[in-house]
Coordinates of all heavy atoms in Angstrom, one line a residue:
W348 N 117.9 280.8 148.0 CA 117.3 282.1 148.5 C 117.3 283.1 147.4 O 117.1 284.3 147.7 CB 118.2 282.6 149.7 CG 118.1 281.7 150.9 CD1 119.0 280.8 151.3 CD2 117.0 281.5 151.8 NE1 118.6 280.1 152.4 CE2 117.4 280.5 152.7 CE3 115.7 282.1 151.9 CZ2 116.5 280.1 153.7 CZ3 114.9 281.7 152.9 CH2 115.3 280.7 153.8
R349 N 117.4 282.7 146.2 CA 117.3 283.7 145.0 C 116.2 283.3 144.1 O 115.7 282.1 144.1 CB 118.6 283.7 144.3 CG 119.8 284.2 145.1 CD 121.0 284.4 144.2 NE 122.2 284.9 145.0 CZ 123.1 284.2 145.6 NH1 123.0 282.9 145.6 NH2 124.1 284.8 146.3
F350 N 115.7 284.2 143.3 CA 114.6 284.0 142.3 C 115.1 284.4 140.9 O 116.0 285.2 140.8 CB 113.4 284.8 142.8 CG 112.8 284.4 144.1 CD1 113.3 284.9 145.3 CD2 111.7 283.6 144.1 CE1 112.8 284.5 146.5 CE2 111.2 283.2 145.3 CZ 111.7 283.7 146.5
A351 N 114.4 283.9 140.0 CA 114.6 284.2 138.6 C 113.3 284.5 137.9 O 112.2 284.0 138.3 CB 115.3 283.1 137.9
L352 N 113.4 285.4 136.9 CA 112.2 285.7 136.1 C 112.6 285.6 134.6 O 113.6 286.1 134.1 CB 111.8 287.2 136.3 CG 110.8 287.8 135.3 CD1 109.5 287.1 135.4 CD2 110.7 289.3 135.6
F353 N 111.7 285.0 133.8 CA 111.8 284.9 132.4 C 110.5 285.3 131.8 O 109.4 284.8 132.3 CB 112.2 283.5 131.9 CG 112.1 283.4 130.4 CD1 113.2 283.7 129.6 CD2 110.9 282.9 129.8 CE1 113.1 283.6 128.2 CE2 110.8 282.8 128.4 CZ 111.9 283.1 127.6
F354 N 110.4 286.1 130.7 CA 109.2 286.3 130.0 C 109.5 286.5 128.5 O 110.6 287.1 128.2 CB 108.3 287.4 130.5 CG 108.9 288.8 130.5 CD1 108.9 289.5 129.3 CD2 109.3 289.4 131.6 CE1 109.4 290.8 129.2 CE2 109.8 290.7 131.6 CZ 109.9 291.4 130.3
D355 N 108.6 286.0 127.7 CA 108.7 286.2 126.2 C 107.3 286.5 125.8 O 106.5 285.5 125.7 CB 109.3 285.0 125.5 CG 109.6 285.4 124.0 OD1 109.0 286.3 123.5 OD2 110.4 284.7 123.4
F356 N 107.0 287.7 125.5 CA 105.6 288.1 125.1 C 105.4 287.9 123.6 O 104.3 288.3 123.0 CB 105.2 289.5 125.6 CG 105.2 289.6 127.1 CD1 105.8 290.6 127.8 CD2 104.4 288.6 127.8 CE1 105.8 290.7 129.1 CE2 104.4 288.7 129.2 CZ 105.0 289.7 129.9
N357 N 106.4 287.5 122.9 CA 106.3 286.9 121.5 C 105.5 287.8 120.6 O 104.5 287.3 120.0 CB 105.7 285.5 121.7 CG 105.8 284.7 120.4 OD1 106.7 284.9 119.6 ND2 105.0 283.6 120.3
P358 N 105.9 289.0 120.4 CA 105.1 289.9 119.5 C 105.0 289.4 118.1 O 104.0 289.7 117.4 CB 105.8 291.2 119.6 CG 107.2 290.9 120.0 CD 107.1 289.7 120.9
K359 N 106.0 288.7 117.6 CA 105.9 288.2 116.2 C 105.2 286.9 116.0 O 105.1 286.4 114.9 CB 107.4 288.1 115.6 CG 108.1 289.4 115.6 CD 109.5 289.3 115.0 CE 110.2 290.6 114.9 NZ 111.5 290.4 114.3
G360 N 104.8 286.3 117.1 CA 104.2 285.0 117.0 C 105.1 283.8 116.6 O 104.6 282.9 115.9
E361 N 106.3 284.0 117.0 CA 107.3 283.0 116.6 C 108.2 282.6 117.8 O 109.4 282.8 117.9 CB 108.2 283.5 115.5 CG 107.5 283.9 114.2 CD 108.4 284.6 113.2 OE1 109.6 284.9 113.5 OE2 107.9 284.8 112.1
L362 N 107.6 282.0 118.8 CA 108.2 281.7 120.0 C 109.4 280.7 119.8 O 109.2 279.6 119.3 CB 107.3 281.1 121.1 CG 107.8 280.8 122.4 CD1 108.2 282.1 123.1 CD2 106.8 280.0 123.3
A363 N 110.6 281.1 120.2 CA 111.8 280.2 120.0 C 111.9 279.3 121.2 O 112.5 279.8 122.2 CB 113.0 281.1 119.7
I364 N 111.4 278.1 121.2 CA 111.4 277.3 122.4 C 112.8 276.9 122.8 O 113.1 277.0 124.0 CB 110.6 275.9 122.1 CG1 109.2 276.2 121.7 CG2 110.7 275.0 123.3 CD1 108.3 276.8 122.8
A365 N 113.7 276.6 121.9 CA 115.1 276.3 122.2 C 115.8 277.4 122.9 O 116.5 277.2 123.9 CB 115.9 275.8 121.0
D366 N 115.6 278.6 122.5 CA 116.2 279.8 123.1 C 115.6 280.0 124.5 O 116.3 280.4 125.4 CB 115.9 281.1 122.2 CG 116.7 281.0 120.9 OD1 117.6 280.2 120.8 OD2 116.4 281.8 120.0
M367 N 114.3 279.8 124.6 CA 113.7 279.9 126.0 C 114.3 278.9 126.9 O 114.6 279.3 128.1 CB 112.2 279.7 125.9 CG 111.4 279.7 127.2 SD 109.7 279.2 127.1 CE 109.9 277.5 126.8
E368 N 114.4 277.7 126.5 CA 115.0 276.6 127.4 C 116.4 277.0 127.7 O 116.9 276.7 128.9 CB 114.9 275.3 126.7 CG 113.4 274.8 126.5 CD 113.3 273.6 125.7 OE1 114.3 273.1 125.1 OE2 112.2 273.0 125.7
R369 N 117.2 277.5 126.8 CA 118.6 277.9 127.1 C 118.6 279.0 128.1 O 119.4 278.9 129.1 CB 119.2 278.3 125.8 CG 120.7 278.8 125.9 CD 121.0 279.8 124.8 NE 120.2 281.0 124.8 CZ 120.0 281.7 123.8 NH1 120.4 281.4 122.6 NH2 119.2 282.8 123.9
D370 N 117.8 280.0 128.0 CA 117.8 281.1 128.9 C 117.3 280.7 130.3 O 117.9 281.2 131.3 CB 117.0 282.3 128.4 CG 117.6 282.9 127.1 OD1 118.8 282.7 126.9 OD2 116.8 283.7 126.4
L371 N 116.4 279.8 130.3 CA 115.9 279.3 131.6 C 117.0 278.5 132.3 O 117.2 278.6 133.5 CB 114.7 278.5 131.5 CG 113.4 279.2 131.2 CD1 112.3 278.3 130.7 CD2 112.9 280.0 132.4
G372 N 117.8 277.7 131.5 CA 118.9 277.0 132.0 C 120.0 277.9 132.6 O 120.6 277.7 133.6
T373 N 120.2 279.0 131.8 CA 121.2 280.0 132.3 C 120.8 280.6 133.6 O 121.6 280.8 134.5 CB 121.3 281.2 131.2 OG1 121.8 280.6 130.0 CG2 122.2 282.3 131.7

Side-chain angles (χ1 to χ4, degrees):
W348 295 104
R349 296 185 177 93
F350 295 83
L352 164 68
F353 169 90
F354 64 77
D355 189 339
F356 294 130
N357 193 19
K359 295 182 179 180
E361 300 172 352
L362 184 65
I364 300 294
D366 291 346
M367 176 188 74
E368 293 174 351
R369 178 203 62 206
D370 290 345
L371 287 168
T373 295

